[in-house]
Amino acid sequence: MANKNPRQRLWYRLQIFLLFLATLVVLVAAYKLRSDAYFFAGLVGVAVFFGFAMQYTANRQTIIDRANELARFKELLEQQERSGKMLIRRDLELTRANERLKQLDQMKTDFVSVATHQLRTPLSAIRWTLSMLLKGDLGELTGEQKTFVMKAYESNNRMVALLGDMLLADRVESGKMSPTEALETSLIDLTDNLLVELKPIAEKKHVTLTFKHAEEVPHARIDPQHMRAIVQNLVENAIKYTPENGSVAIELVQPDEKNVELRVSDTGIGIPKEAHPQIFTRFFRAKNAVRVETDGSGLGLFIAKQIVERYDGSIRFESEPGDGTTFFVQLPIVMHKSTQANTIGAK
Ligand code: ADP
């Protein structure tokens, strides 16, 4: 009944009506003829009629329910189609926005690259002139003049360092700085040399610098100049973010037969938990770091990570806010027997 079409339903109603008529005729006949048989047949007819009528009512309700369900289903289908179309439209929009963002990112990278290259030459000229002034090559300066020129010289140096970082980040990111497989680095020599340079900065802050290592540590498979950039950044950061009278400890270990590990620990301000996920992102600086040290590009760790990973190494850190930080740099060692001739420690 549920699937019957309107014509069939009409025929079904007609049948019930005919049955009703027949039953009525039989009952009237039974009354007129005073016949028990007719009366009984009439009763059966009434029962059948009620049976049919009840089934009809039930089926009718089923049809209404099914029709409602069908309407709901149709609506859902339409909704789904609308959502599908909307999703396709959004997907297209997002793809376009993504392409635009990529273009903008490329433009920004190109701009930074051109700007830094263009700025380097005039800044070097300024530095050179200021240094001549300071040395007295252009005539003796008074004490006050010297102080001002010194300040300009230091600011200029900071700008040169920042440009250097930006250029290096650009080279690392654009893949221009590829690993030079032929070289290897003695991390002991490199760190020793660097510490000689950084000692005065640490002493100025009364920060103790120590370096611990086994007598012989295998050479790391990395370009010494690239490694120097990493170690210098880590040690400078450790000094920079450690308050006066603190300490910075550098340790060189061999955690397994394939790698060497450099650890730089400090007793400084630490890295807040919420800053951990961003610490290796370009230009990121944690709030506590900005408070204690306004100078900083937020590029050093980004560069370090990029370089280390180019050489199949890894960099990570452990830090508790207010309780110091340790950076761990792991690099593969040179597997063949190293010779003094092609070992280059940083100068
Ligand atoms: P910069 O030091 O110029 O800000 P870096 O990329 O070297 O940039 O470091 C990024 C950020 O990581 C710093 O601004 C600081 O928030 C955090 N950081 C790095 N080293 C240390 C450290 N030793 N102690 C505390 N915070 C550090």
Side-chain angles (χ1 to χ4, degrees):
M1 179 72 187
N3 295 326
K4 280 180 179 163
N5 61 33
R7 244 171 114 182
Q8 280 173 318
R9 272 209 304 273
L10 196 71
W11 171 233
Y12 193 77
R13 278 182 202 171
L14 196 69
Q15 278 180 323
I16 295 177
F17 181 66
L18 288 175
L19 184 70
F20 174 70
L21 264 186
T23 310
L24 209 64
V25 169
V26 170
L27 280 176
V28 171
Y31 179 71
K32 290 272 185 215
L33 301 173
R34 306 269 188 267
S35 159
D36 281 353
Y38 273 101
F39 187 69
F40 183 71
L43 278 184
V44 171
V46 169
V48 172
F49 168 75
F50 273 112
F52 267 94
M54 274 164 73
Q55 196 194 353
Y56 176 75
T57 317
N59 283 343
R60 220 181 134 166
Q61 192 52 47
T62 315
I63 289 170
I64 292 169
D65 289 349
R66 293 268 166 94
N68 285 342
E69 243 171 62
L70 208 69
R72 266 204 307 275
F73 186 62
K74 227 170 124 184
E75 201 180 315
L76 271 177
L77 268 181
E78 277 167 11
Q79 246 177 31
Q80 214 172 27
E81 204 179 311
R82 276 200 300 274
S83 310
K85 279 185 188 155
M86 211 164 76
L87 272 180
I88 293 172
R89 222 177 22 244
R90 281 278 148 84
D91 191 41
L92 260 171
E93 280 169 12
L94 275 178
T95 313
R96 271 193 217 126
N98 200 18
E99 271 162 21
R100 180 92 189 107
L101 273 179
K102 273 190 195 154
Q103 276 173 359
L104 284 175
D105 197 48
Q106 188 53 43
M107 273 165 68
K108 187 203 68 195
T109 311
D110 291 347
F111 172 76
V112 169
S113 171
V114 172
T116 41
H117 275 101
Q118 295 301 320
L119 281 171
R120 207 157 59 151
T121 318
L123 278 176
S124 302
I126 296 171
R127 185 189 202 177
W128 183 66
T129 312
L130 291 175
S131 110
M132 278 175 72
L133 271 173
L134 282 172
K135 278 192 225 148
D137 292 351
L138 306 173
E140 272 312 307
L141 299 180
T142 63
E144 197 183 13
Q145 283 169 337
K146 243 187 189 161
T147 314
F148 279 108
V149 176
M150 194 59 183
K151 275 186 186 157
Y153 183 73
E154 278 167 3
S155 300
N156 189 73
N157 273 354
R158 279 205 296 276
M159 275 165 81
V160 171
L162 175 63
L163 279 188
D165 277 355
M166 286 171 83
L167 279 172
L168 193 54
D170 180 45
R171 274 175 53 220
V172 165
E173 219 183 5
S174 58
K176 284 183 204 144
M177 200 210 71
S178 43
T180 40
E181 293 290 340
L183 293 169
E184 58 184 80
T185 300
S186 158
L187 290 182
I188 299 181
D189 290 352
L190 184 143
T191 313
D192 269 338
N193 287 334
L194 249 175
L195 292 190
V196 171
E197 279 173 40
L198 297 176
K199 221 170 167 197
I201 311 173
E203 275 171 359
K204 217 168 152 187
K205 279 185 84 178
H206 305 286
V207 168
T208 327
L209 266 184
T210 54
F211 180 29
K212 206 170 96 185
H213 58 86
E215 199 151 313
E216 278 196 25
V217 177
H219 295 171
R221 193 163 54 74
I222 187 169
D223 181 320
Q225 292 312 319
H226 296 167
M227 188 62 198
R228 190 187 153 90
I230 298 167
V231 186
Q232 182 168 355
N233 178 258
L234 292 182
V235 181
E236 272 179 358
N237 275 353
I239 300 171
K240 194 158 77 172
Y241 299 119
T242 298
E244 295 213 345
N245 303 316
S247 61
V248 172
I250 299 140
E251 199 183 348
L252 193 57
V253 296
Q254 190 179 358
D256 54 61
E257 70 230 18
K258 287 192 178 152
N259 297 290
V260 274
E261 187 172 88
L262 185 85
R263 298 174 183 165
V264 181
S265 312
D266 63 57
T267 55
I269 58 172
I271 300 172
K273 280 270 176 296
E274 67 274 11
H276 284 202
Q278 286 147 283
I279 222 68
F280 294 106
T281 21
R282 200 167 25 163
F283 299 123
F284 178 79
R285 303 197 69 214
K287 281 193 188 126
N288 64 339
V290 179
R291 267 198 301 275
V292 298
E293 181 62 61
T294 43
D295 259 354
S297 63
L299 281 171
L301 288 180
F302 167 75
I303 295 170
K305 187 170 163 66
Q306 300 279 324
I307 298 179
V308 166
E309 287 176 356
R310 288 271 148 97
Y311 287 95
D312 301 323
S314 63
I315 181 166
R316 65 182 182 90
F317 66 91
E318 283 171 11
S319 182
E320 283 301 322
D323 200 21
T325 304
T326 303
F327 275 90
F328 304 82
V329 177
Q330 219 177 79
L331 282 160
I333 60 171
V334 180
M335 286 311 219
H336 65 82
K337 207 170 181 309
S338 61
T339 56
Q340 280 307 111
N342 65 0
T343 301
I344 304 178
K347 285 272 130 36

